[in-house]
């Protein structure tokens, strides 16, 4: 009986717990899955450099230094978009990314060692699309988080000029996305991958700041 219990602790019980906590990050080892379309770009989003993110392995918030590209969650849920509730299964199990292959709730050592290493960036994925790489650069020039967080802090300290400038950047971000779709013919469902999540959404979730778009 004791051996059976130990064995259960070393095998996946298909509880779905790891899948309902959110999608994995993408690493260089997953490049082929992106390039061959097993994981479509419209199912990814980017946590941009400078943005604050939750560390799924070690816990707590940290400031991102490079792109972290992740599989999206389902709308209204934290569950990975590829999670099949009815069967407690992954819909791309045979082509799941590295973090999912390393996931073992009874022993996180392998995942912890690989978690921060060799992450794929947007530009590495878009190596054959110069204009999309230039689009990313143009957006970062105005919307990089190194500009945003100091403004947030100044706004919270009562600086109205910082509040106005922050509003301007958020509106610029929204307008940039509209133009990318209407003039650049970028599919709207690729924007979260190309430009990260909208600044208005991030500021509201992380700081409770609601900015009216103009």
């Amino acid at each position: 009986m004791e051996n059976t219990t130990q064995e259960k602790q070393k095998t996946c019980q298909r509880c779905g717990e790891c899948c309902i906590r959110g999608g994995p990050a993408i690493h260089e080892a997953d490049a082929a899955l992106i390039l061959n379309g097993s994981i479509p770009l419209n199912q990814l989003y980017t946590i941009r450099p400078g943005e604050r993110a939750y560390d799924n392995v070690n816990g707590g918030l940290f400031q991102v230094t490079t792109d972290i590209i992740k599989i999206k969650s389902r709308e209204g849920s934290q569950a990975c978009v590829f999670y099949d509730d009815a069967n407690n299964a992954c819909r791309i199990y045979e082509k799941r990314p590295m973090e999912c292959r390393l996931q073992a709730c009874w022993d996180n050592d392998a995942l912890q060692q690989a978690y921060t290493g060799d992450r794929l960036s947007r530009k590495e994925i878009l190596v054959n699309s110069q204009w999309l790489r230039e689009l990313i650069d143009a957006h970062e020039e105005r919307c990089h988080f190194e500009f945003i967080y100091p403004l947030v802090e100044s706004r919270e300290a009562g600086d109205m000029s910082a509040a106005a400038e922050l509003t301007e950047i958020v509106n610029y971000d929204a307008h940039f996305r509209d133009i990318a779709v209407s003039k650049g013919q970028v599919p709207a469902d690729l924007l979260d991958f190309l430009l990260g999540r909208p600044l208005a959404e991030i500021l509201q979730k992380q700081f409770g700041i609601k900015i009216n778009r103009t």
Side-chain angles (χ1 to χ4, degrees), residues 148-167 203 207-211:
I148 293 166
Y149 286 134
L151 291 173
V152 170
E153 292 173 358
S154 296
R155 175 191 178 275
E156 291 177 345
D159 184 343
M160 296 307 296
S161 64
E165 188 174 351
L166 186 62
T167 299
L203 291 178
F207 302 99
I209 298 174
K210 186 175 182 179
I211 296 179

Side-chain angles (χ1 to χ4, degrees), residues 29-76:
D30 306 314
L33 299 176
I34 306 296
L35 295 176
N36 66 23
S38 296
I39 301 176
L41 294 183
N42 64 2
Q43 300 299 338
L44 300 173
Y45 73 95
T46 300
I47 300 175
R48 297 189 291 124
E51 187 174 347
R52 293 172 186 172
Y54 182 78
D55 189 323
N56 290 334
V57 173
N58 301 307
L61 286 174
F62 71 104
Q63 194 159 21
V64 172
T65 57
T66 60
D67 284 356
I68 298 180
I69 298 170
K70 301 192 69 173
I71 291 180
K72 290 179 178 178
S73 296
R74 292 197 307 244
E75 188 172 354

